Amino acid sequence: MTSVAPSEYKNSPVRATVTTSKQSAMVEVVLRVLLFIGSLTAVVVMVTSKQKELVPFPPFGMVPNTVRFTDTPAFVYFVAALSTAGLYSIITTLLSISVLSKPGYSKILALYIVAMDVVMLAIVATASGTAGGVAYIGLRGNSHTRWNKICNIYDTFCQHAAGAILVSLFAAIVLILLILHSVFTMYRKIPN
Amino acid sequence: MTSVAPSEYKNSPVRATVTTSKQSAMVEVVLRVLLFIGSLTAVVVMVTSKQKELVPFPPFGMVPNTVRFTDTPAFVYFVAALSTAGLYSIITTLLSISVLSKPGYSKILALYIVAMDVVMLAIVATASGTAGGVAYIGLRGNSHTRWNKICNIYDTFCQHAAGAILVSLFAAIVLILLILHSVFTMYRKIPN
C-alpha cells in the first residue's frame, strides 16, 4: 500500500478504497448474520412442530396420533439442509469479521466463498422446494392421487411447517444477495 | 486495444488475452447450450408423462383413470420453471455467441448475466425440490399421513417424473458451473 502523510490521507483515494472495502465487509457480515438467524429460526420452528390429535380410525373410533417432522422425509431433508446453512453461516461470518478487522482484499478467499455460497443457495433452495411441495399436499390434498389434506386436523404442525418454509425462502434470498454482493465487489475491482 | 505488428502479434500478451477471452466465451456457449438441452428435455419428459390405468374404485370395481402432470401443482410449477430456464438459456446463448463473434469483455453485461444466472439457479433448484418431494411420496407413500404410493400403479408416469427431475438437477448443476465460470472470469481480471 502507498504510504501517505496524515494530512494528505483524509481525502486520498487510498482512504476511500479502505473505507469502501470496510463498508463492503460490514454489509457481508450483516447478511451472513441474517443468514444465520434465518437458518436457525427455520430449523427451530420445523423441529418444534410436533402435534398430538385425536383422529378417526374406523372401526376403532377416535385414536390419539402424534405427527412429527421426522415422519416426512422431505422435512428431515429440510432440517438437515438448513442446519448445514446455519453452520456454514457461522464459519463464514467469522471469516468476514476477520476481513473487517484486517482490511485488505483476499482475491482467492473471495473466490472460494462465492463458490460455496452458490452451492449453499442450491441446497437451501431445493430444501425449501421439497418441504414446500409436501406441505402444499398437506394443505390442499390431491384428489387425483387420493391424498387427503391433513392441515385441517394438524393445524399447529402445518403452521410450523409453513413458517419454517417461509423463513427458509428468506434465507435463500439472503444467499442470493450475498452472491450478488460478492460479484459486485469483484466487478468494481476490474479495471476498465 | 494496443496496435501490434503482425510479427510481434503471434506471441504477444494481447493475443493471449484475446485467445483466453475467446476460449472463455466458448466454454460459456457450450454450458448454455447444455442448459437449453437439459431444460427442454426435462419439460418434454414431464409433459409426456400421461398414463391411463384401470384402478380399483370400490364398490364399482375397476375403473379407468388417467394421470397427467397437470393433476399435481408441484409438477405444473416444475414445467413452468424449467420452461423459463429454457427460454432464458436461448437468450443468453445468443448473447454469448455475440460476445464470441466480437471479442471484448463487457463488464456490465457480465454482471447482469451472472445476477440473472443466480436467480435462475434458485428457480430451477426449488422446482427440482418441489417435484422431487412430491414424486418421493408417489414412490414410497407416507403411512403417517395415509398417503398411499401410486408408482406401483402408474409406473410410466413415475418413470417420466423421475427422469425429468434428474435432468432438472443436471440443469441446476450446469447453472452452478455457469456462475462459477463467470465469477472465475471476473476473478482473473482483478489486478493483484
Side-chain angles (χ1 to χ4, degrees), chain B residues 3-80:
Chain B
S3 140
V4 189
S7 57
E8 290 170 27
Y9 182 74
K10 205 175 166 188
N11 298 313
S12 76
V14 175
R15 188 185 181 236
T17 312
V18 171
T19 314
T20 320
S21 163
K22 267 210 162 183
Q23 278 172 347
S24 173
M26 195 95 81
V27 170
E28 198 171 324
V29 170
V30 171
L31 284 173
R32 291 198 186 279
V33 170
L34 284 178
L35 175 63
F36 172 69
I37 296 171
S39 310
L40 188 71
T41 311
V43 170
V44 169
V45 172
M46 185 58 96
V47 168
T48 56
S49 59
K50 193 175 158 183
Q51 189 182 3
K52 196 174 181 176
E53 284 293 332
L54 286 171
V55 289
F57 190 64
F60 306 103
M62 302 298 269
V63 289
N65 189 30
T66 307
V67 278
R68 293 175 191 82
F69 82 95
T70 46
D71 297 342
T72 309
F75 292 168
V76 175
Y77 172 59
F78 178 90
V79 169

Side-chain angles (χ1 to χ4, degrees), chain A residues 103-121:
Chain A
Y105 187 72
S106 167
K107 263 178 76 174
I108 193 79
L109 183 67
L111 184 70
Y112 285 146
I113 287 186
V114 74
M116 285 300 297
D117 282 349
V118 171
V119 174
M120 206 46 71
L121 169 64

